[in-house]
Structure formats: C-alpha cells, structure tokens
Amino acid sequence: MAAHFGRLRKGATTTAVAAVAVAALSASQAPGVTTDDLGRQAAGAAQPSGDAKTGGAGGGATGDSPYYTDLPPLKSPNPSPSASPTTGTTVSVGEAEAGIPATVLDAYKKAEAELRASKPGCNLPWQLLAAIGKVESGQARGGRVDASGTTYSPILGPKLDGNGFALIADTDHGAYDGDPAYDRAVGPMQFIPSTWAWAGRDGNGDGKKDPNNVYDAALAAGHYLCRFDRDLSVQSQMNAAILNYNNSTEYLNTVLSWLEYYRKGTHEVPDGTGTLPSHSSNSDPGASPSPTTPATPSTPSTPRTPSTPKPGGAGSTSPTPKPPAPSSPAPSPTPPTPTQTVDHLEDANTGKLTATAGSAFGTKVAVRAESKASKGVAKVRVRFTIIGDTDATFTGGESVATVVTGSAGTATAPALVAGEKTGDFTVRATVVGRVLGGLDYTATVTPRQADTLTRTSDTALTCVPGGEFADQVELKATYKGAVAGKVAATATLIKSADDATENDKGPYFKDVDGKTIRTLTDLTTDADGVLKLPKLYADDATGTFLLRVNTAGGAVLTVELKVAAAAS
C-alpha cells in the first residue's frame, strides 16, 4: 500500500455523513447476538477472547483487524457527463472519491447479480460491497489488479498476535497470508484465513477461490453478509451483517457513511487510479497499519572512508577530503499494466449478426485489443454489453459479459441468443479500466418463419346455408422440413384465387362478441407448428368459397369451403 497511515485525530469522524449513519444506527436499535455456523459469537455484544487455534477472537470475517477510517466528502458525488479530450467518448466526471476502479466496480456488480439470483431475499446492494471494500482496502489499493481481478501484490493486515490486536494463531500454514505463526487478514475484502476456508467463493469462474482476487472476495463478502436469511433492505439486519463483518460501532458508522455516499452516485475510473485512503483505525503508532504490503528492505548506508595522513607530511593528521556519498538509485518506474497499453479496439472478423426469434446467432462478436503499434495486447478485460429494446441475451441469460483477451489480443463474446422481440439491437465492446472509444455491432432478430403449410386432415369442409362447419380448419407449419413453432399467421376469407381481398359473403368467423369477421390476425402456431382456427359459420350464400392462410416466411395455403343445401 503506497498510502501513508497517520493517526486519526479526535473528532475527525464528525461529519454530516457520519451523522446520517449514526442516526440510521440509532433508529434501528442495537442488533441482537447471533451465532454463525462455526459457533462464533456475532454482532451485537462484546466478543469473548476466544480460542486462538480456531480464530475465535473477534469472530468477524476480518478478525476485527484495523480498517481505514477516512470518511467521504460532504459534496454530492453525482457525476456529470463530459467528453473525453482524446476519444470524444462521453464519460462521467465527478468527485474523485466517488470514482471506483473499473474492474473492482465490475466485481461488486457481478456479485450483486449472483446474489440476486441465488439469494433474492437478501436484497444485497453492490454499494454495500463497495463501502466495505473502501474501508477494508481502499478498493484494492486504488484498483491495482490484473485482468482477472487479482491484486498485483498481496494486501495483508497486521499479524494477529495479540499485541494490540486479536490473538489468532496460524490456521492456514501461511498459505494465504505467508505467516506460519499467526493469521493475517488477506485481500481486498480482508478475510482472515480461517473464515476464507469456508466462506471463499469462485467469483470469476477460473476454478479457484483466491482471497486476493476481487471477484472471488466480493462474492464471498456478499454471501457472508447474506447469512442467516438476512434481508439487507431492513436497516437493523444490515447493521447486524456489517457488525458481524467487523465488530465495531465505529466501523459500522464508517461503512454506512460510504454506503450512503455511493448510493448518491459513482463513476468508473481506470484501474490503478482510484483514490487511496490515509487514516487507519490502528491508533498504536508502534503497530503495523492495515492493510499494507510487505516492506521493502532499506538500502544499507555506505561506510565512511577513514582519514589518512597527507603524503610527505610526517605526523600530519589532516584528513583527505571525503568523496561525495553515492546517491541512492531512483526507484524504477512501475511498468504499465496490459490494460494501460491498449490504444484501441479493432474488429476481429465478426460476421453478420442475424438470427430468427428464439434461436442462437450463428456468429459471435469478436474484437482485438491493440496498442498504438497495432499489436495485440493479451490479458485485457473486454466488456460486451447488449443495448436496446430487446430480450436477446448472451448464453446463460446475461446482458453483460466480460472476456479476457488471449495471446493474440482477441476476445470473443459468448454466443448471442435471440428472444421473441424482433428488430435491431446493439452489442457494444469496451475495454474495462480504460476510457476508450468502444465498438458497436448491430444485431437483428427476424420473425420465426414457415415455408410450408399443410392441412392435418383431408376431410372435405362442408356446411349448409345458415349452419356451422362440423370440422375446424387445422394446419401444420414447417420450415426447411422442421417444425415451425410460434410462427405468426393470418387467415382471410377471400373473394377468389385471383382476388385476395376479403369476401363480404359466405363463410365467416365470430369475434368474442359474436359479430361476423372474415379476417383473423395475430395467429401463432403452437410449439409443434400446429395452427387450429376457430369454428366457421355460413350465411345464406351457397357455393365454393376460399380461405387463405399466410405465415411469416412466405408459406401460403388456400382451403376450399363448400356451402350447399342438404340433399332431399
């Protein structure tokens, strides 16, 4: 962590935002004591010292490690649109503190979406994850994460050795925190290893549960907060969840302050450019602040050259002038991340995007992230977003998909699946973590089609004047030999084979009010391609009449209807 931790002065937390949080806490009453599934006491009362071997001290996800106490500014974070001077793309500009690094923000929103599906009664807002992420790690140290969401270096809290902190002896053999003696809080959401062992999740689908990965950590934090069938839309239950994460009233007030701030508006900033906090709840200047990274050993000083007598001067003790001390080498600049080297996106031979309603598109959107030299850039996150009035989705039912570029710099979106809405929509590709112009692709959903209509029966359709036809007209639609389900159709009683205008005499249908109609619209074949028309009636006219049925795709069938007096 590049930020310097200063001691927080008394009264530094007294702001209007904190007052809102405290008022919310007071109004909700103190949350009761509950017990989690590991038998540890949770929020609402003073914690026992616990058993160091089981991580019982503190009981929260973080082991009640230190946290950042910086509060949000009083100014509203509502962003305002502004055009990028380099790309012309409209971006959101607002308070620096309201900016959340792109990949980190994506992780919070993805975790919220997963919890909305798996635990809809929890009502977890992504802004709560953002508030906790701000307080625990400064949004993963300002978004210093790679394309997969993993921090470039571990984020570690102080060792929980009982010296100013909880006493939690090692539970992971140093696997997560690198400390074989004591546990430390780990990663962007600061989980202690004993909690991560059961709470960890795989949020980015790479088959691993890594507390240093912001996608994994955000999803784990969401599930942790949603335990005990909590409904976080109820303030008292939200308070209990936050206190269970870190059992401190000051922690609760700080998280609620950031939650309220983020709910008023945030904007995306490039990875690695987020604002770093500077104050820690650790008031012991001799203890390690949290979270931080392992310190780099200082360069040893150069030994002083001893003085020597002047040549030819017996007994002279005048020292030889000392050479200037060598200056410390300037620190080498941090190399740019792959995302920072991307200059633009290029199309990667995406074909025409067309599909029939309800079917998968045969072509996938593919783009290539390139540098200024037009070389492909690997390990860059590309976000594909479906935009427009459509119910089309990517495979899996999502409207947003994030893909990491391969060795050639290419990212291919998941297959598109058309819904029932026809017409055009847009698929937009953008680089996560950079404000660059994106690529837009137009996709078209066409109506379901049929190219053939046949009757399901060869029985003659006859009726006497003023009577009703005994058999209903039933048809089957196919398209290229396959069943054509959910295909739109119309049926009209026409004047003749050469005149398709509606007839004004002969057979007819009835509407819901019993009135005569001779054209039916908004007909649709069923899943088996079958279309069964309503009952037909006859007026006093006799003769052979025609019923014509048309479907989307061009299928046409003309059916004969005979009206004749009954034989004597």
Side-chain angles (χ1 to χ4, degrees), residues 383-547:
R383 181 183 296 141
F384 298 94
T385 307
I386 295 175
I387 301 171
D389 183 17
T390 181
D391 53 357
T393 64
F394 293 113
T395 301
E398 298 293 334
S399 60
V400 178
T402 304
V403 180
V404 179
T405 59
S407 58
T410 301
T412 302
L416 285 163
V417 179
E420 294 303 320
K421 288 186 178 181
T422 59
D424 294 342
F425 64 91
T426 299
V427 178
R428 178 168 298 163
T430 56
V431 176
V432 177
R434 291 296 306 275
V435 180
L436 296 173
L439 292 180
D440 283 354
Y441 295 84
T442 299
T444 303
V445 179
T446 60
R448 297 172 185 264
Q449 301 178 41
D451 55 16
T452 305
L453 275 174
T454 56
R455 281 191 64 196
T456 59
S457 169
D458 56 3
T459 303
L461 298 167
T462 62
C463 184
V464 297
E468 61 182 51
F469 287 80
D471 297 310
Q472 290 177 246
V473 178
E474 186 176 276
L475 312 171
K476 186 164 187 175
T478 56
Y479 182 70
K480 296 182 179 180
V483 168
K486 299 182 180 180
V487 175
T490 60
T492 305
L493 291 151
I494 60 175
K495 290 183 177 180
S496 68
D498 299 324
D499 186 354
T501 57
E502 182 180 289
N503 206 339
D504 55 0
K505 62 182 178 178
Y508 60 90
F509 301 104
K510 290 182 180 179
D511 64 13
V512 293
D513 297 322
K515 295 181 180 179
T516 297
I517 55 172
R518 290 188 167 89
T519 298
L520 298 175
T521 58
D522 298 326
L523 301 173
T524 305
T525 63
D526 64 16
D528 296 322
V530 174
L531 176 64
K532 191 172 185 177
L533 300 182
K535 188 180 288 291
L536 277 161
Y537 302 88
D539 60 13
D540 294 335
T542 59
T544 299
F545 300 90
L546 300 179
L547 169 67

Side-chain angles (χ1 to χ4, degrees), residues 335-410:
T337 65
T339 300
Q340 291 170 333
T341 65
V342 177
D343 179 71
H344 59 276
L345 287 176
E346 284 289 337
D347 175 56
N349 299 317
T350 301
K352 188 175 182 181
L353 298 169
T354 303
T356 303
S359 65
F361 284 73
T363 300
K364 297 180 180 179
V365 178
V367 299
R368 188 169 184 258
E370 295 186 350
S371 64
K372 285 186 178 181
S374 297
K375 292 184 178 181
V377 183
K379 298 182 179 180
V380 172
R381 299 182 69 83
V382 176
R383 181 183 296 141
F384 298 94
T385 307
I386 295 175
I387 301 171
D389 183 17
T390 181
D391 53 357
T393 64
F394 293 113
T395 301
E398 298 293 334
S399 60
V400 178
T402 304
V403 180
V404 179
T405 59
S407 58
T410 301

